[in-house]
Amino acid sequence: RVQWCSSVAEFGEGAREEEAREVREGQQGERRRIMSLSKRTQSFQDLAKGSVSQPEQRYSGTGYTTPQDAVPISEERNKLLASLMSQYLSREPEAIQRQIVNHVEYTLARTRYNFDAHGAYQATAFSVRDRLLESWNDTQQYFTERDVKRVYYLSLEFLMGRYLQNALVNMGIKGNFEEALLGLGYKLEDICEVERDPGLGNGGLGRLAACFMDSLATGNYPGWGYGIRYKYGMFFQKVNEDGYQIEVPDYWLTHGNPWEVERLDVTYPVRFFGHVEWTDKGIRWTGGEVVRAVAYDSPIPGYDTYNTLNLRLWSAAPAHEFDLDSFSKGDFYGAIANKEASEKISSVLYPNDSTDAGKELRLKQQYFFVCATLQDAIRRFLKRDRPLLDLHTKVAIQLNDTHPTIAIVELMRIFMDEYGIGWTASWKTTQKVFSYTNHTVLPEALEKWSVPLMEKLLPRHMQIIYEINRRHLETIAAKYPGDGEKLQRMSIVEDGYPKMVRMAQLAVVGSHCVNGVAAIHSGLVQTRLFPDFVQEGYRFVNMTNGVTPRRWIQQANPSLSAIISRWIESDDWVVNLDLVRGIEQYVDNADLQREFVESKMENKKRLAKLIKEQFNEEVNCDALFDIQIKRIHEYKRQLLNILGVIARYNKLKSLSDEQLSKVVPRVHVFGGKAAAAYVQAKNIIRLINGVSSVVNKDSRTSKYLKVYFMPNYNVTLAEALIPANDISEHISTAGMEASGTSNMKFVMNGGLIIGTMDGANIEIREEVGDEQIFIFGLLTPEIDSARDAMKYGQYKVQDARLEEAIEQIHAGKFCGQDTAGPIVRALEPYNDYYLVSRDFTSYMEAQDRVDVAFQNKAEWTKRCIRAVARMGKFSSDRTIKEYAESIWNIEPTPFVPGSIAYKDTSFKK
């Protein structure tokens, strides 16, 4: 085996030998520098140095098998297991090489002759996962033995991004694997490019959940994430030759997922349909359709800590895999009908809900994953002999938006129907367990399910909802006799045809705390959405969102990361972002400015290379890079952005050659997916691509303006786009964006914002200062009156640039009438709900201020440095700490081995 490993290593030598030597020397110097700056924990330094000590018995459990319910074993067997599992895998490059090669041969069943890049990625991933599983088992068993309170974060999305680099960086072994792979003939950066982004989310909701998991692990908080393992993701976005979005399945699991562990031993039944029976033993929900939820676990490593948390995703499977009787009778489809019906539950994120079948599937998805999650949480809680009504003392459940809200009703059903607990006691504990994060004030985004659908799919739950609502309204009616309007506003069940269940109201009533995600948003949640509930004393708080600096600075922008560490003489900022403030004292230093400019240029060239690969076009990296990447929605106003681009293009066309030579050249980049059923959002994508086609082909002006729509926006693409920004656009209609997190990422990476006073823009402005942000547009208190004025003709927008752009769209210059018609109609005064035309003039004035500021390169660089330095508040570490202390009531629980011993220490190259 050693000989084979050596043969593979020789395969990569020769032409690469000198390069490998130079890279290793550079890496060794960089590691020495970083370790001299770092103040990591002693135990983490032990791992980094590979120190060897006497073996101690390591914990070994996944949280599923514990000393309380483990199978009794003999003392001899216990000693043997302790000896075999007491050591960690070696971190020496030579040992890593052997482990990678072992996975190539034994896990992938390959030989050295078909050891290609994909095989190298898979073997490397398995080798990294092996190390994750060691700390993962230790962490979970430690939590179990300490009997700590855990938070369970329920989210329909987890937009994780690629795992490999994140795991290596957080574990502190990136350099070790780089050296090992170079010896085998591969560069780590090339291996990382093989990995597919997991198709587990779409936008900010899922990315926030991923950042929170990283911060929970880094902060040593006991927590798990729960969601759905979507087989085909949301969709893979393509753009056809006519500029239209095309949705195709995202086959991200085609080659498997080396980061997950299939838990066939962790499976729970989930029932749909059926009927409710009243028996001598109580109420019983029976009949209908039963599917199985099968667990898939992915370890989530913290940074500078042993703690590794778990993301458990559920996959749907049939209760009975195969109907042999039907197959024998020739009904081959019927033999697998249950399998097909079950598996579609976890096939696609956000299935099209424009049909009744689509609505039913969405509700199925939501109940499916919360039902399995609650069974899992209760099973874990009852490992110790204690009353179920004490659940809230060890379990906190956070509802990430309204999608998991049916969990409140399911927990009530479990308490009453399965454990025979009375209503009052059940409800009291349920409220203590749950807390709810609201992410929107958009009425259409506040979920409602029709009562007929709920009665059909979840008949017992609809009965419980009616009873929750009855008791809730009785209390309100007693305090406000005769106030029917108040009862209607606060009712969980909305009158109409059909009646609808308001999931947001249910989440508020069934939780002990409700939070918004930015200061302005939390205020609107209280004043616009739920003022009656605030009046009744329900607890509402603000938890301003944040993002993890590990992925979004350290990994996405290594050159800027190195600058920060060098100038503040520490890399502790990675876990304490407030320390970045230390670079501001050097803002006038010419060396810092030069390094900052060089870093930005490096990132812009990386994006230019992507554009070249995608569109076969060159871009000027000295141009101002203006980027807007987020899901396509009318309230996010990509339409305002592209109208501004059209106006800029028209102005360029009118200038003389001498005047053109004085303008600021720009590269505008868009990215984001439109929901499959959201026609107007797809029209906006078509318009952007139409403008791109016209503008980029204009030989006279293309030197000064180019436009690109980058298809299939995901985390990996964001990691290339965000560090390259000079200016980013966060231009939603005031009062409509809950928070936004991309705005935080862009500023952390050395760009400035053009935006409205909406979401987290307001708090970013407070932190970075007025000079570091370009604000425009109406304010939230002005929105309603502005809509009325536009609708009833009391205000007329008079801007020749806008009128010309609309006329060009209407005339078909950029797109056909199937796209132009709906867009032009949406801009008519009585239809312009998102006030695109009303804010257009102010937006263009702000863009002019951007151009003027960008021309003074030295001052622009200073502004960007100040902005980076002042973004400490927006780390998700701060957000999680606030959740833990004020909502979840959980404490950091770091696992630190008393000693460390390594396997494979005798291996010699």
Side-chain angles (χ1 to χ4, degrees), residues 111 135 214 277 280 324 340 418 517 537 554 612 641 677 755 892:
T111 70
S135 56
D214 178 85
E277 295 179 349
D280 295 339
L324 181 60
E340 295 290 330
E418 296 186 13
V517 290
Q554 187 187 35
K612 173 69 174 177
N641 187 345

Side-chain angles (χ1 to χ4, degrees), residues 772-906:
Q772 279 67 244
I773 191 168
F774 299 89
I775 295 295
F776 74 93
L778 296 168
L779 303 178
T780 300
E782 301 172 318
I783 294 298
D784 290 339
S785 59
R787 283 193 181 119
D788 290 341
M790 293 280 288
K791 185 175 182 179
Y792 300 113
Q794 299 166 356
Y795 183 93
K796 181 174 175 59
V797 176
Q798 293 181 327
D799 192 308
R801 297 168 296 181
L802 177 62
E803 293 174 358
E804 181 181 14
I806 293 175
E807 179 56 36
Q808 289 173 327
I809 295 171
H810 186 262
K813 182 170 184 176
F814 306 111
C815 54
Q817 288 305 310
D818 59 331
T819 299
I823 287 177
V824 170
R825 285 194 294 273
L827 292 170
E828 292 172 351
Y830 45 84
N831 289 331
D832 191 4
Y833 181 80
Y834 299 99
L835 299 173
V836 172
S837 58
R838 180 69 172 78
D839 274 347
F840 178 82
T841 302
S842 178
Y843 171 72
M844 296 302 293
E845 291 170 353
Q847 288 285 20
D848 290 340
R849 298 200 305 272
V850 171
D851 285 343
V852 172
F854 190 72
Q855 288 176 320
N856 186 340
K857 294 300 175 62
E859 185 56 36
W860 180 273
T861 300
K862 291 181 183 180
R863 289 185 178 191
C864 293
I865 292 172
R866 291 190 195 102
V868 171
R870 299 173 182 178
M871 286 296 287
K873 173 181 177 178
F874 301 101
S875 168
S876 52
D877 297 342
R878 185 267 314 156
T879 312
I880 286 298
K881 185 174 185 291
E882 292 178 358
Y883 270 104
E885 293 176 350
S886 64
I887 296 180
W888 301 332
N889 192 28
I890 61 173
E891 297 179 352
T893 309
F895 169 76
V896 181
S899 60
I900 304 166
Y902 290 100
K903 302 173 184 176
D904 301 322
T905 54
S906 61

Side-chain angles (χ1 to χ4, degrees), residues 149 151 392 395-398 432-437 512-516 539-543 879-890:
K149 183 177 183 180
V151 61
H392 63 281
V395 171
I397 297 179
Q398 187 69 36
K432 291 178 180 179
V433 166
F434 288 101
S435 48
Y436 159 55
T437 299
H512 69 272
C513 187
V514 179
N515 72 276
R539 186 180 177 219
F540 288 80
V541 299
N542 175 55
M543 293 285 156
T879 312
I880 286 298
K881 185 174 185 291
E882 292 178 358
Y883 270 104
E885 293 176 350
S886 64
I887 296 180
W888 301 332
N889 192 28
I890 61 173

Side-chain angles (χ1 to χ4, degrees), residues 345-630:
I345 294 173
S346 55
S347 290
V348 177
L349 168 65
Y350 298 141
N352 188 336
D353 63 351
S354 60
T355 65
D356 289 341
K359 291 182 176 66
E360 180 180 298
L361 181 55
R362 281 210 184 188
L363 182 55
K364 269 189 170 184
Q365 286 184 330
Q366 294 179 10
Y367 177 67
F368 166 77
F369 99 91
V370 303
C371 176
T373 297
L374 286 174
Q375 292 181 74
D376 202 41
I378 290 172
R379 185 266 311 158
R380 191 173 296 113
F381 174 79
L382 291 179
K383 285 178 180 178
R384 294 179 182 261
D385 185 17
R386 51 191 165 195
L388 185 56
L389 287 177
D390 289 345
L391 185 67
H392 63 281
T393 65
K394 298 299 178 183
V395 171
I397 297 179
Q398 187 69 36
L399 307 174
N400 192 27
D401 215 348
T402 53
H403 306 129
T405 301
I406 196 65
I408 294 171
V409 187
E410 173 65 4
L411 185 57
M412 285 293 290
R413 187 195 68 79
I414 293 172
F415 280 155
M416 296 187 298
D417 296 0
E418 296 186 13
Y419 289 90
I421 301 172
W423 180 281
T424 302
S426 298
W427 184 243
K428 185 177 180 180
T429 297
T430 296
Q431 287 182 307
K432 291 178 180 179
V433 166
F434 288 101
S435 48
Y436 159 55
T437 299
N438 175 278
H439 283 279
T440 183
V441 294
L442 298 179
E444 67 271 19
L446 292 174
E447 279 192 319
K448 300 177 184 178
W449 296 110
S450 73
V451 169
L453 173 59
M454 189 74 74
E455 289 176 331
K456 171 189 173 187
L457 191 66
L458 303 170
R460 177 56 178 150
H461 297 75
M462 192 63 240
Q463 292 176 349
I464 295 172
I465 290 171
Y466 273 134
E467 184 62 16
I468 293 173
N469 197 44
R470 184 189 69 80
R471 292 174 182 245
H472 163 60
L473 292 183
E474 276 187 356
T475 303
I476 302 303
K479 293 181 66 175
Y480 305 95
D483 193 344
E485 291 184 358
K486 190 178 190 70
L487 294 178
Q488 287 182 351
R489 292 194 303 269
M490 297 188 71
S491 177
I492 296 170
V493 179
E494 180 181 64
D495 285 336
Y497 183 79
K499 291 183 177 181
M500 305 293 287
V501 178
R502 296 163 164 168
M503 302 307 284
Q505 271 84 343
L506 176 59
V508 173
V509 172
S511 299
H512 69 272
C513 187
V514 179
N515 72 276
V517 290
I520 185 174
H521 170 248
S522 295
L524 292 172
V525 166
Q526 297 179 50
T527 58
R528 284 191 180 181
L529 290 185
F530 307 116
D532 296 297
F533 293 90
V534 174
Q535 183 181 356
E536 294 309 303
Y538 287 86
R539 186 180 177 219
F540 288 80
V541 299
N542 175 55
M543 293 285 156
T544 298
N545 282 341
V547 300
T548 169
R550 269 79 62 187
R551 182 177 288 272
W552 293 112
I553 306 179
Q554 187 187 35
Q555 296 170 40
N557 201 338
S559 59
L560 178 59
S561 177
I563 290 170
I564 295 170
S565 295
R566 185 159 52 248
W567 283 86
I568 70 171
E569 299 183 338
S570 171
D571 65 352
D572 286 353
W573 62 269
V574 178
V575 291
N576 182 3
L577 196 59
D578 288 329
L579 295 178
V580 179
R581 191 84 183 213
I583 68 170
E584 188 171 357
Q585 62 184 306
Y586 306 111
V587 69
D588 294 317
N589 187 292
D591 289 332
L592 174 59
Q593 294 174 19
R594 174 184 52 78
E595 291 179 17
F596 193 90
V597 170
E598 289 173 352
S599 170
K600 180 61 67 175
M601 180 56 67
E602 177 185 326
N603 290 316
K604 292 170 80 168
K605 287 180 178 179
R606 182 159 57 114
L607 176 55
K609 182 181 178 182
L610 278 180
I611 292 173
K612 173 69 174 177
E613 293 171 355
Q614 180 73 36
F615 301 99
N616 196 30
E617 293 184 13
E618 303 283 350
V619 297
N620 175 15
C621 291
D622 290 321
L624 185 151
F625 278 29
D626 182 320
I627 302 177
Q628 185 181 22
I629 45 174
K630 48 190 77 219

